[in-house]
Amino acid sequence: MGVSALRTENLSKRYGRLLALDGLSLDVAAGEVFGFLGPNGAGKSTTIRLLLGLARPTSGRAWIFDTDAADVAAAHRRLAYVPADVALWPRMTGAEVLDLLARVGPGTDTAYRDELIQRFALDVSKPAGTYSTGNRQKVALVAAFATRAPLLVLDEPTSGLDPLMELQFRQAVGVARDNGQTVFLSSHQLAEVEAVCDRVGILRAGELVEVASVAQLRRLHHTDVAATFPGTPPDLAGVQGVDGLHEDGATSVRFTLSGSPAAALRALADADVTTIVVREQSLEEIFLAYYGHNAR
Amino acid sequence: MIVTTTAAARPEHVLRGLAVRQVRRGGLVVTAVCACMSALVVVGYRSEALDPAALAALARNPAIRTLFGEPVALDQAGGFTVWRTSVVLAVLLGVWTMLTATRITRGEEDAGRWNLLLSGRITLPEAVRQHLGVLAVVPVLVGAATAVAMIAAGVDATGSLLHGTGLAAVGLFFVAVGGVTAQLFVSRSESNGVAAAVLVVGLLMRMVGDGVPALAWLRWLSPFGLMALTRPFDTNRGLPVSVLAFAAVLLMALAGRLAARRDVGAAILATPGSRPARTTLLGSVPAFAVRRTMRPLAAWSAGIGAYFLLLGLIAQSMTEFLAGNPEFASMAAQAGFPALGTVEGYAATLYALLAVPVGVFVAVRLAATAADENARRLTLLLAAPVTRARLLGAEAAAAGCAALVLITVAGIAMWAGTATVHAGLAPGDALAGAWNVTPVVLLCLGAAVLALGWAPRAVAAIGALPAAGGFLWQVVADSIDAPTWTRALSPFTHLAAVPSTAPAWPAASVMAGIAAAGVIVGTIGYRRRDLSA
């Protein structure tokens, strides 16, 4: 196995009676784009705070490229970070913040930084106090992507960005991957994770419940389907991919679809379907379904 | 049928309830302090008897008038109480109401909590008016409680009520000042800074107006001057307090109007849209700490410098008066102000006061670090290769060095004042006297770092304790003739009267040692704990 960019061993964090993180053991290889998924309160941010040395683990240890994460002077020379909720000094302009972070940080490619400022359409001459949430996030993203740090730790970095900017973000992650940088992306936006990540870890209530490739994650996908018919709905029980079937009134049915939809669509077409609504399940629903299966 | 929705309460009731929760504790403390202190001084007065001729000389002396206000009706318990307490209580009430006004309006808005509040049926001007309206009840309560306490302690009702009204009017004025600056500026710190400047300028105008007969009209422009002009227990004038109350009402209405003319989260005085980057002092963590200290240091230097310049200007008059009136000199000595009769003794006594604002300055600077951590502004810095010890060291060193600058500014200002009136204070003596308070300031630094490590919510209070708490402790201990060991708890007891005597090096070393221990233990705590960043 190659070099680990980020490694934890039985990492736990307890806040009073709440066990926020329970024995997390994780290994992210250098050069990998790793998605860290989980619903709110699952312990994603706690994990990152422990990795950055902002909080102290109750037990267990963490390493950044084989440097103890607690030794921040050495460990932080090899990482850059984008927090979920970026707070800046309100009177400093974006350019001043970027200058400060470049001068105290792990080294910055200023030419690439200027390019990123253009791409993210960030007006750096304005004081940070006038920035929206998204603009503050852009400042932190530009600062992080412009470093040559071999590890980028991104905590829900696109929660305030519009779709255009999210596209820029995905491109920047691609550039980082091409440069051989490792990206640790915490998110609860499944589409974003699917688009950029090689592997994902799923956290639930402080425990790592799954580490899988994105191809494996896709199998978690279900689609909600609702269909109405001129008369009695056909019997879809036993059709390949159809699950959770129930009648919704006399002329309509609902079911979830997984895998190939071909068989189900044929069955519906044969029955002269009048309307059909197909909706992708939200991450939350997938998680709920997934956790439900696992619990059984 | 069971109704499960919450009854649609009237929004103004909800707003008022919210405001009451934010001001009730502080309001009760301020009310209790004002009422109790006034009653205690009334009761204490009866044991002292003053010679009318000496009192008349006192009332004529410009230095006494500048420092303590115009002495009127000192032959009565009520008049004496007003003279002794009115400036202190008015400043206390003014500072509290001003800080609270900006905290519950701009502070809440700044923290983003009003976004949710104002998404309902409540408008911004309504929220501002209701919050200021609830806060305005506190000074009225303070004035009433003070008047009742004084009447209960046995002084004349008219004077007591007028004094209470004056106190209430000053409080209302600063509720309104805080309310207006909160509309003008986009951040709470800027609003506080400008409101504090109004307070300091008002105080200096009162001092100059009292001390210089040709400039007596200045008092009509100052809330503290107007309060003094009512002359309770003497001529009992109602006009000045009416002017002050009218000004307060106008400002209060202005705050509501200004709130109606701006957006939520914005301010009347807009921050400049764009500007070129100023990249000086951004190169390292210590440089950045210095950069953030510069503006507050300039503002505090201006205030403290002006105050000590004024003290220097009245030095000659004060020392001559006390040299010619040994009765007051011995009274002053009993009250903990010995050797006021020489310019060195005068300087030494007043320099002790310097430790209070400078100690508070240090505490406030480290509290700003705690606030930066709490607001998560430090997160990006701490994600860089910057250890916590280095960050804390830089912040503490910047605050400490800035405090030394403040102390030096006070020394130079006092010397400049005394030199102008040829009072004969040598520049070396002036600086030595100012630097003599350094150990107390170091204690504040040690306490503030200790708090940052172990109790980050209470940095300002714990950091200011050695200076502000120690000073009050000494004043109370002196007034009630407390046993020696209780006096020894105040760091002020261990300060030598430099420049009239040599510095007390052993005591200074012990205080510096305690401060160093505080810094070390605080740093250990700061390195170990979880950051809220």
Side-chain angles (χ1 to χ4, degrees):
Chain A
M1 180 151 187
V3 184
S4 296
L6 184 161
R7 192 156 59 85
T8 69
E9 216 174 79
N10 282 320
L11 198 61
S12 296
K13 181 64 183 176
R14 181 178 283 284
Y15 292 106
R17 292 172 62 186
L18 174 76
L19 188 59
L21 196 64
D22 187 5
L24 177 74
S25 293
L26 192 66
D27 195 330
V28 176
E32 191 176 18
V33 179
F34 188 88
F36 197 45
L37 293 173
N40 293 330
K44 303 193 298 291
S45 292
T46 300
T47 306
I48 289 176
R49 284 160 51 77
L50 294 173
L51 287 173
L52 290 172
L54 294 173
R56 302 299 187 208
T58 309
S59 64
R61 289 182 70 186
W63 292 267
I64 308 288
F65 290 104
D66 290 329
T67 305
D68 193 325
D71 179 7
V72 297
H76 290 192
R77 257 185 253 287
R78 314 191 70 173
L79 67 79
Y81 170 54
V82 176
D85 180 9
V86 182
L88 304 171
W89 279 274
R91 271 201 290 267
M92 287 173 74
T93 65
E96 288 164 358
V97 174
L98 288 173
D99 191 58
L100 171 74
L101 294 177
R103 286 160 82 172
V104 301
T108 292
D109 181 342
T110 47
Y112 184 45
R113 185 181 68 188
D114 294 342
E115 188 191 325
L116 285 169
I117 292 170
Q118 296 294 324
R119 286 221 242 137
F120 279 104
L122 179 66
D123 182 353
V124 292
S125 65
K126 283 189 175 157
T130 65
Y131 282 164
S132 63
T133 312
N135 278 335
R136 288 199 304 274
Q137 214 153 28
K138 286 181 195 173
V139 172
L141 281 169
V142 168
F145 281 126
T147 64
R148 299 192 180 91
L151 171 64
L152 303 177
V153 178
L154 313 176
D155 189 0
E156 288 171 30
T158 58
S159 53
L161 298 189
D162 62 45
L164 271 174
M165 290 304 138
E166 216 175 302
L167 199 65
Q168 294 295 341
F169 167 79
R170 290 181 193 184
Q171 283 176 7
V173 171
V175 171
R177 185 211 304 266
D178 295 344
N179 286 342
Q181 289 171 294
T182 311
V183 179
F184 185 78
L185 172 64
S186 160
S187 182
H188 50 218
Q189 298 193 21
L190 193 60
E192 179 180 287
V193 170
E194 271 191 301
V196 300
C197 292
D198 307 318
R199 228 160 41 109
V200 296
I202 295 174
L203 203 62
R204 180 187 59 173
E207 278 183 82
L208 192 66
V209 291
E210 178 80 55
V211 180
S213 71
V214 171
Q216 287 169 310
L217 181 76
R218 284 218 172 87
R219 275 189 254 127
L220 301 177
H221 261 301
H222 298 274
T223 311
D224 279 334
V225 181
T228 54
F229 304 88
T232 316
D235 182 16
L236 293 168
V239 176
Q240 194 197 342
V242 171
D243 203 2
L245 182 68
H246 67 270
E247 295 194 358
D248 203 17
T251 60
S252 52
V253 290
R254 281 171 186 282
F255 56 93
T256 62
L257 192 59
S258 51
S260 163
L265 286 179
R266 263 195 302 276
L268 293 177
D270 290 347
D272 199 15
V273 60
T274 14
T275 68
I276 179 166
V277 179
V278 180
R279 190 178 64 88
E280 250 196 356
Q281 283 192 324
S282 69
L283 183 64
E284 206 100 344
E285 287 166 311
I286 290 173
F287 274 1
L288 287 174
Y290 175 69
Y291 294 151
H293 282 301
N294 270 14
R296 254 177 256 145
Chain B
M1 193 180 121
I2 300 163
V3 179
T4 51
T5 53
T6 310
R10 291 169 62 188
E12 59 268 26
H13 290 186
V14 179
L15 265 183
R16 271 181 227 144
L18 181 67
V20 167
R21 287 167 67 99
Q22 290 172 298
V23 307
R24 60 185 171 192
R25 199 192 302 168
L28 285 176
V29 170
V30 173
T31 306
V33 167
C34 290
C36 293
M37 193 160 161
S38 304
L40 277 176
V41 175
V42 170
V43 173
Y45 176 79
R46 293 188 184 151
S47 56
E48 302 166 18
L50 293 170
D51 170 20
L55 280 176
L58 186 75
R60 277 194 308 274
N61 182 269
I64 296 283
R65 291 161 61 118
T66 303
L67 258 185
F68 304 108
E70 192 181 359
V72 293
L74 293 195
D75 51 342
Q76 301 170 42
F80 180 77
T81 304
V82 168
W83 183 64
R84 274 289 295 273
T85 64
S86 68
V87 174
V88 177
L89 295 185
V91 169
L92 173 75
L93 180 62
V95 168
W96 183 83
T97 49
M98 161 203 112
L99 292 179
T100 309
T102 55
R103 171 170 63 85
I104 63 173
T105 57
R106 179 54 75 178
E108 291 293 293
E109 198 176 331
D110 212 6
R113 285 188 281 270
W114 273 21
N115 287 339
L116 206 57
L117 185 74
L118 299 176
S119 64
R121 285 181 290 163
I122 299 158
T123 63
L124 176 65
E126 198 182 347
V128 169
R129 281 196 201 102
Q130 294 289 354
H131 276 78
L132 295 182
V134 167
L135 179 58
V137 174
V138 176
V140 174
L141 214 64
V142 167
T146 304
V148 167
M150 286 174 71
I151 294 166
V155 296
D156 176 42
T158 317
S160 299
L161 286 172
L162 191 62
H163 174 57
T165 311
L167 209 50
V170 170
L172 285 175
F173 182 80
F174 282 104
V175 169
V177 167
V180 169
T181 60
Q183 309 313 309
L184 292 178
F185 300 97
V186 79
S187 77
R188 182 178 159 196
S189 62
E190 273 176 297
S191 313
N192 277 343
V194 173
V198 171
L199 191 138
V200 170
V201 168
L203 201 58
L204 289 173
M205 275 161 69
R206 198 283 297 154
M207 291 172 78
V208 173
D210 272 335
V212 185
L215 297 175
W217 53 270
L218 273 179
R219 292 180 293 177
W220 283 91
L221 302 179
S222 157
F224 303 104
L226 286 167
M227 185 184 171
L229 284 168
T230 57
R231 300 170 79 102
F233 301 98
D234 183 53
T235 47
N236 285 331
R237 295 164 74 189
L239 179 64
V241 79
S242 314
V243 170
L244 183 54
F246 184 63
V249 170
L250 278 187
L251 282 176
M252 202 81 92
L254 179 66
R257 282 289 180 84
L258 291 176
R261 291 183 52 177
R262 67 178 182 88
D263 297 334
V264 178
I268 296 289
L269 300 179
T271 34
S274 306
R275 63 173 174 81
R278 292 192 285 263
T279 54
T280 42
L281 292 174
L282 285 180
S284 66
V285 170
F288 187 52
V290 171
R291 180 180 165 120
R292 278 178 297 132
T293 311
M294 296 302 264
R295 275 172 76 121
L297 176 62
W300 283 72
S301 293
I304 289 180
Y307 185 73
F308 276 86
L309 182 70
L310 197 57
L311 292 183
L313 288 170
I314 63 171
Q316 184 79 342
S317 166
M318 182 71 108
T319 51
E320 278 171 4
F321 171 75
L322 287 171
N325 292 272
E327 187 187 354
F328 283 112
S330 65
M331 264 180 63
Q334 275 169 22
F337 296 108
L340 276 182
T342 65
V343 72
E344 286 81 11
Y346 169 81
T349 304
L350 292 171
Y351 275 141
L353 295 178
L354 174 63
V356 179
V358 180
V360 170
F361 169 81
V362 167
V364 167
R365 288 315 303 155
L366 282 162
T369 306
D372 279 341
E373 179 197 327
N374 197 33
R376 281 172 287 199
R377 283 188 286 266
L378 294 184
T379 309
L380 285 174
L381 273 188
L382 289 166
V386 174
T387 61
R388 294 186 194 181
R390 182 168 160 75
L391 183 85
L392 176 61
E395 297 288 328
C401 291
L404 287 182
V405 172
L406 269 184
I407 289 173
T408 308
V409 165
I412 293 172
M414 175 80 110
W415 169 79
T418 54
T420 310
V421 295
H422 306 291
L425 182 66
D429 282 350
L431 286 174
W435 287 335
N436 185 50
V437 302
T438 306
V440 181
V441 175
L442 288 179
L443 279 179
C444 289
L445 186 67
V449 173
L450 185 70
L452 195 57
W454 298 94
R457 284 159 170 267
V459 174
I462 294 176
L465 194 66
F471 184 74
L472 283 177
W473 184 268
Q474 192 201 23
V475 169
V476 171
D478 279 340
S479 321
I480 63 169
D481 220 6
T484 316
W485 69 267
T486 54
R487 281 165 201 255
L489 289 176
S490 168
F492 288 87
T493 314
H494 308 289
L495 285 184
V498 181
S500 62
T501 62
W505 290 113
S509 313
V510 170
M511 285 195 263
I514 294 172
V519 168
I520 290 167
V521 176
T523 306
I524 291 171
Y526 190 65
R527 291 182 61 182
R528 285 166 55 132
R529 74 175 167 89
D530 292 345
L531 297 180
S532 52

Short mmCIF file of all heavy atoms in Angstrom, two decimals, chain B residues 359-360 362-371 373 444-445 447-466 529:
data_model
loop_
_atom_site.label_atom_id
_atom_site.label_comp_id
_atom_site.label_asym_id
_atom_site.label_seq_id
_atom_site.Cartn_x
_atom_site.Cartn_y
_atom_site.Cartn_z
N GLY B 359 -5.16 48.60 32.55
CA GLY B 359 -5.48 47.19 32.86
C GLY B 359 -6.72 46.74 32.10
O GLY B 359 -6.77 45.63 31.55
N VAL B 360 -7.72 47.61 32.05
CA VAL B 360 -8.95 47.28 31.31
C VAL B 360 -8.63 47.14 29.82
O VAL B 360 -9.13 46.23 29.15
CB VAL B 360 -10.04 48.35 31.54
CG1 VAL B 360 -11.21 48.16 30.60
CG2 VAL B 360 -10.51 48.30 32.99
N VAL B 362 -5.84 46.08 28.43
CA VAL B 362 -5.21 44.77 28.21
C VAL B 362 -6.27 43.67 28.23
O VAL B 362 -6.30 42.78 27.36
CB VAL B 362 -4.13 44.52 29.29
CG1 VAL B 362 -3.70 43.07 29.28
CG2 VAL B 362 -2.94 45.42 29.05
N ALA B 363 -7.18 43.75 29.21
CA ALA B 363 -8.23 42.73 29.32
C ALA B 363 -9.12 42.74 28.07
O ALA B 363 -9.47 41.69 27.53
CB ALA B 363 -9.07 42.99 30.57
N VAL B 364 -9.45 43.94 27.60
CA VAL B 364 -10.33 44.06 26.43
C VAL B 364 -9.64 43.53 25.17
O VAL B 364 -10.26 42.88 24.34
CB VAL B 364 -10.76 45.54 26.25
CG1 VAL B 364 -11.41 45.75 24.90
CG2 VAL B 364 -11.73 45.94 27.36
N ARG B 365 -8.33 43.76 25.06
CA ARG B 365 -7.62 43.26 23.88
C ARG B 365 -7.62 41.73 23.86
O ARG B 365 -7.83 41.11 22.82
CB ARG B 365 -6.17 43.77 23.85
CG ARG B 365 -5.99 45.23 23.51
CD ARG B 365 -6.83 45.70 22.35
NE ARG B 365 -6.60 44.94 21.13
CZ ARG B 365 -7.49 44.81 20.15
NH1 ARG B 365 -8.68 45.36 20.24
NH2 ARG B 365 -7.20 44.12 19.08
N LEU B 366 -7.37 41.10 25.00
CA LEU B 366 -7.37 39.63 25.00
C LEU B 366 -8.79 39.08 24.89
O LEU B 366 -9.00 38.00 24.35
CB LEU B 366 -6.63 39.08 26.23
CG LEU B 366 -5.11 39.18 25.99
CD1 LEU B 366 -4.34 39.08 27.28
CD2 LEU B 366 -4.63 38.13 25.02
N ALA B 367 -9.76 39.86 25.38
CA ALA B 367 -11.16 39.46 25.17
C ALA B 367 -11.49 39.50 23.69
O ALA B 367 -12.29 38.70 23.19
CB ALA B 367 -12.09 40.37 25.96
N ALA B 368 -10.84 40.42 22.95
CA ALA B 368 -11.07 40.47 21.50
C ALA B 368 -10.52 39.21 20.84
O ALA B 368 -11.11 38.69 19.88
CB ALA B 368 -10.40 41.71 20.91
N THR B 369 -9.41 38.69 21.36
CA THR B 369 -8.87 37.42 20.85
C THR B 369 -9.86 36.29 21.10
O THR B 369 -10.12 35.45 20.23
CB THR B 369 -7.53 37.09 21.53
OG1 THR B 369 -6.65 38.20 21.37
CG2 THR B 369 -6.90 35.85 20.92
N ALA B 370 -10.43 36.28 22.31
CA ALA B 370 -11.43 35.26 22.64
C ALA B 370 -12.65 35.40 21.72
O ALA B 370 -13.21 34.41 21.25
CB ALA B 370 -11.86 35.38 24.10
N ALA B 371 -13.04 36.65 21.43
CA ALA B 371 -14.19 36.88 20.56
C ALA B 371 -13.88 36.42 19.13
O ALA B 371 -14.74 35.85 18.46
CB ALA B 371 -14.57 38.36 20.56
N GLU B 373 -11.88 34.02 18.35
CA GLU B 373 -11.95 32.55 18.38
C GLU B 373 -13.40 32.10 18.33
O GLU B 373 -13.77 31.22 17.56
CB GLU B 373 -11.29 32.03 19.67
CG GLU B 373 -11.33 30.52 19.79
CD GLU B 373 -11.07 30.05 21.21
OE1 GLU B 373 -10.29 30.69 21.93
OE2 GLU B 373 -11.65 29.01 21.60
N CYS B 444 -2.98 42.14 35.18
CA CYS B 444 -4.16 42.05 34.31
C CYS B 444 -3.87 41.16 33.11
O CYS B 444 -4.70 40.34 32.71
CB CYS B 444 -4.58 43.44 33.82
SG CYS B 444 -5.29 44.44 35.13
N LEU B 445 -2.67 41.32 32.55
CA LEU B 445 -2.29 40.49 31.40
C LEU B 445 -2.26 39.01 31.81
O LEU B 445 -2.80 38.15 31.10
CB LEU B 445 -0.91 40.94 30.89
CG LEU B 445 -0.40 40.28 29.61
CD1 LEU B 445 -1.27 40.69 28.43
CD2 LEU B 445 1.05 40.68 29.34
N ALA B 447 -3.84 37.60 34.31
CA ALA B 447 -5.22 37.14 34.59
C ALA B 447 -5.98 36.89 33.30
O ALA B 447 -6.72 35.91 33.17
CB ALA B 447 -5.94 38.17 35.45
N ALA B 448 -5.78 37.77 32.30
CA ALA B 448 -6.51 37.63 31.04
C ALA B 448 -6.04 36.39 30.28
O ALA B 448 -6.86 35.64 29.72
CB ALA B 448 -6.31 38.88 30.18
N VAL B 449 -4.72 36.12 30.27
CA VAL B 449 -4.22 34.92 29.59
C VAL B 449 -4.72 33.67 30.31
O VAL B 449 -5.13 32.69 29.68
CB VAL B 449 -2.68 34.94 29.50
CG1 VAL B 449 -2.14 33.63 28.96
CG2 VAL B 449 -2.21 36.09 28.62
N LEU B 450 -4.69 33.74 31.65
CA LEU B 450 -5.21 32.61 32.45
C LEU B 450 -6.67 32.32 32.07
O LEU B 450 -7.07 31.18 31.85
CB LEU B 450 -5.11 32.97 33.93
CG LEU B 450 -5.49 31.88 34.94
CD1 LEU B 450 -4.45 30.78 34.91
CD2 LEU B 450 -5.59 32.46 36.34
N ALA B 451 -7.46 33.40 31.96
CA ALA B 451 -8.87 33.24 31.60
C ALA B 451 -9.02 32.69 30.18
O ALA B 451 -9.87 31.83 29.93
CB ALA B 451 -9.60 34.57 31.72
N LEU B 452 -8.18 33.15 29.28
CA LEU B 452 -8.27 32.68 27.89
C LEU B 452 -8.00 31.17 27.83
O LEU B 452 -8.57 30.46 27.00
CB LEU B 452 -7.27 33.44 27.03
CG LEU B 452 -7.44 33.38 25.51
CD1 LEU B 452 -8.82 33.86 25.10
CD2 LEU B 452 -6.38 34.20 24.82
N GLY B 453 -7.14 30.70 28.73
CA GLY B 453 -6.83 29.27 28.74
C GLY B 453 -7.89 28.43 29.40
O GLY B 453 -8.15 27.31 28.98
N TRP B 454 -8.54 28.96 30.42
CA TRP B 454 -9.42 28.11 31.24
C TRP B 454 -10.86 28.58 31.30
O TRP B 454 -11.74 27.79 31.63
CB TRP B 454 -8.86 27.99 32.66
CG TRP B 454 -7.51 27.34 32.67
CD1 TRP B 454 -6.30 27.97 32.66
CD2 TRP B 454 -7.21 25.94 32.63
NE1 TRP B 454 -5.27 27.06 32.62
CE2 TRP B 454 -5.80 25.80 32.62
CE3 TRP B 454 -8.00 24.79 32.62
CZ2 TRP B 454 -5.17 24.56 32.58
CZ3 TRP B 454 -7.36 23.55 32.59
CH2 TRP B 454 -5.96 23.45 32.57
N ALA B 455 -11.12 29.86 31.07
CA ALA B 455 -12.50 30.37 31.13
C ALA B 455 -12.70 31.42 30.04
O ALA B 455 -12.86 32.60 30.32
CB ALA B 455 -12.79 30.98 32.50
N PRO B 456 -12.66 30.98 28.75
CA PRO B 456 -12.60 31.96 27.66
C PRO B 456 -13.81 32.89 27.56
O PRO B 456 -13.74 33.91 26.90
CB PRO B 456 -12.48 31.09 26.41
CG PRO B 456 -12.85 29.70 26.82
CD PRO B 456 -12.56 29.59 28.27
N ARG B 457 -14.92 32.55 28.24
CA ARG B 457 -16.07 33.46 28.17
C ARG B 457 -15.89 34.67 29.08
O ARG B 457 -16.60 35.66 28.95
CB ARG B 457 -17.34 32.72 28.62
CG ARG B 457 -17.87 31.79 27.58
CD ARG B 457 -18.76 30.75 28.23
NE ARG B 457 -19.45 29.99 27.21
CZ ARG B 457 -20.65 30.29 26.76
NH1 ARG B 457 -21.30 31.31 27.26
NH2 ARG B 457 -21.20 29.56 25.82
N ALA B 458 -14.98 34.56 30.06
CA ALA B 458 -14.89 35.62 31.08
C ALA B 458 -13.56 36.36 31.01
O ALA B 458 -13.09 36.87 32.01
CB ALA B 458 -15.09 35.00 32.46
N VAL B 459 -12.95 36.44 29.82
CA VAL B 459 -11.63 37.05 29.71
C VAL B 459 -11.65 38.51 30.15
O VAL B 459 -10.80 38.95 30.93
CB VAL B 459 -11.08 36.92 28.26
CG1 VAL B 459 -9.78 37.69 28.11
CG2 VAL B 459 -10.86 35.47 27.92
N ALA B 460 -12.64 39.28 29.68
CA ALA B 460 -12.67 40.71 30.00
C ALA B 460 -12.83 40.91 31.50
O ALA B 460 -12.09 41.69 32.12
CB ALA B 460 -13.80 41.40 29.24
N ALA B 461 -13.77 40.19 32.11
CA ALA B 461 -14.05 40.38 33.55
C ALA B 461 -12.86 39.94 34.39
O ALA B 461 -12.40 40.69 35.28
CB ALA B 461 -15.29 39.60 33.95
N ILE B 462 -12.31 38.76 34.12
CA ILE B 462 -11.19 38.26 34.94
C ILE B 462 -9.93 39.09 34.68
O ILE B 462 -9.19 39.41 35.60
CB ILE B 462 -10.95 36.76 34.65
CG1 ILE B 462 -12.16 35.94 35.12
CG2 ILE B 462 -9.68 36.27 35.34
CD1 ILE B 462 -12.08 34.46 34.80
N GLY B 463 -9.73 39.48 33.41
CA GLY B 463 -8.54 40.27 33.09
C GLY B 463 -8.57 41.64 33.74
O GLY B 463 -7.53 42.17 34.15
N ALA B 464 -9.75 42.25 33.85
CA ALA B 464 -9.84 43.59 34.43
C ALA B 464 -9.84 43.56 35.95
O ALA B 464 -9.69 44.59 36.61
CB ALA B 464 -11.11 44.29 33.92
N LEU B 465 -10.01 42.35 36.52
CA LEU B 465 -10.18 42.24 37.98
C LEU B 465 -9.01 42.83 38.79
O LEU B 465 -9.26 43.61 39.71
CB LEU B 465 -10.42 40.77 38.35
CG LEU B 465 -10.93 40.54 39.76
CD1 LEU B 465 -12.33 41.12 39.90
CD2 LEU B 465 -10.95 39.05 40.09
N PRO B 466 -7.73 42.50 38.47
CA PRO B 466 -6.65 43.05 39.31
C PRO B 466 -6.66 44.58 39.34
O PRO B 466 -6.42 45.17 40.40
CB PRO B 466 -5.38 42.52 38.65
CG PRO B 466 -5.81 41.30 37.92
CD PRO B 466 -7.20 41.58 37.45
N ARG B 529 -7.00 22.86 25.65
CA ARG B 529 -8.44 22.80 25.51
C ARG B 529 -8.87 22.74 24.05
O ARG B 529 -8.08 23.02 23.15
CB ARG B 529 -9.08 24.00 26.21
CG ARG B 529 -8.92 25.32 25.49
CD ARG B 529 -9.71 26.39 26.23
NE ARG B 529 -9.38 27.73 25.79
CZ ARG B 529 -9.99 28.35 24.79
NH1 ARG B 529 -10.95 27.74 24.13
NH2 ARG B 529 -9.64 29.57 24.46
#
